[in-house]
Amino acid sequence: MISILNRILAILVTLAILVGAVVTIGVAIQAWPTSILLGWFEPQLQMAAEAPGATRVAIIAIAAIAVVGMVALLLTEILPLRESVVHTLSVTDKGIATIENDSLCLLSERTAETIHGVRDVRCYIRERQDGLRIRCNAHVALGSNLLEINPDMKAKVRESVQQLTGLTVARVDVKFKYHP
């Protein structure tokens, strides 16, 4: 409930700033009178309308940046948040077992990091009809033998995910980068 109220409050404040910035631009370029807001902020708008050339350009530029920022903030607040991908592990009459994609990525990354020479791994998982496709970006120690690490990493990641979750892994692709 508080999250919804926070989002509504953020949207209202963003709209107020957006309107203020648009009105400031309109008054600064002398398209609208300074009394457009029924006398509210008229002294400030009068200063924007009567500002010398360079100052007026700066006011317009700052207001334009505010417009772009507020539109971006509105879009992030209004558009629905991306829900995390959930994989179904089992369905029985007693319930459904699922696992989030982030957890599968974490499992894959920690498994890959146990291999000698691997420093850091970031994995991305997509579900396809033939099974999971795991893509790993691995930083390995300089001088590590990639011909040994590659099949070992693919096998361990595939085996770990399949054994611990029961999900089918169709492919494990690895992209290596040497790290000093």
Side-chain angles (χ1 to χ4, degrees), residues 100-146:
E100 289 190 7
N101 202 54
D102 293 343
S103 295
L104 286 177
C105 289
L106 184 64
L107 173 62
S108 301
E109 291 163 1
R110 296 304 169 257
T111 301
E113 287 172 353
T114 63
I115 298 168
H116 179 72
V118 176
R119 298 269 172 100
D120 183 43
V121 179
R122 186 78 181 127
C123 293
Y124 305 92
I125 299 177
R126 290 185 173 251
E127 189 168 19
R128 303 286 185 192
Q129 287 184 350
D130 58 343
L132 298 177
R133 297 211 179 165
I134 302 173
R135 182 173 46 99
C136 298
N137 295 329
H139 289 120
V140 294
L142 189 59
S144 297
N145 187 345
L146 298 182

Side-chain angles (χ1 to χ4, degrees), residues 7 10 22 24 26 59 63 75 80 83 87 127 140 143 154 162 171:
R7 290 185 84 170
V22 169
T24 301
I59 290 170
L75 289 175
E83 293 184 24
H87 304 278
E127 189 168 19
V140 294
K154 288 180 178 183
Q162 287 185 158
R171 289 178 62 147

Side-chain angles (χ1 to χ4, degrees), residues 55-180:
T55 305
R56 186 179 302 174
V57 169
I59 290 170
I60 293 169
I62 291 170
I65 290 169
V67 166
V68 170
M70 294 306 108
V71 167
L73 187 58
L74 271 176
L75 289 175
T76 59
E77 286 296 326
I78 292 173
L79 295 177
L81 296 175
R82 200 178 71 165
E83 293 184 24
S84 62
V85 177
V86 178
H87 304 278
T88 303
L89 300 177
S90 68
V91 178
T92 65
D93 57 341
K94 295 180 182 178
I96 299 172
T98 61
I99 186 168
E100 289 190 7
N101 202 54
D102 293 343
S103 295
L104 286 177
C105 289
L106 184 64
L107 173 62
S108 301
E109 291 163 1
R110 296 304 169 257
T111 301
E113 287 172 353
T114 63
I115 298 168
H116 179 72
V118 176
R119 298 269 172 100
D120 183 43
V121 179
R122 186 78 181 127
C123 293
Y124 305 92
I125 299 177
R126 290 185 173 251
E127 189 168 19
R128 303 286 185 192
Q129 287 184 350
D130 58 343
L132 298 177
R133 297 211 179 165
I134 302 173
R135 182 173 46 99
C136 298
N137 295 329
H139 289 120
V140 294
L142 189 59
S144 297
N145 187 345
L146 298 182
L147 296 175
E148 291 176 7
I149 293 175
N150 185 36
D152 192 26
M153 180 184 289
K154 288 180 178 183
K156 283 187 176 181
V157 168
R158 170 180 274 124
E159 183 179 306
S160 173
V161 170
Q162 287 185 158
Q163 278 185 352
L164 296 175
T165 66
L167 296 171
T168 303
V169 176
R171 289 178 62 147
V172 177
D173 298 320
V174 183
K175 180 180 176 183
F176 291 104
K177 182 177 181 181
Y178 278 119
H179 191 67

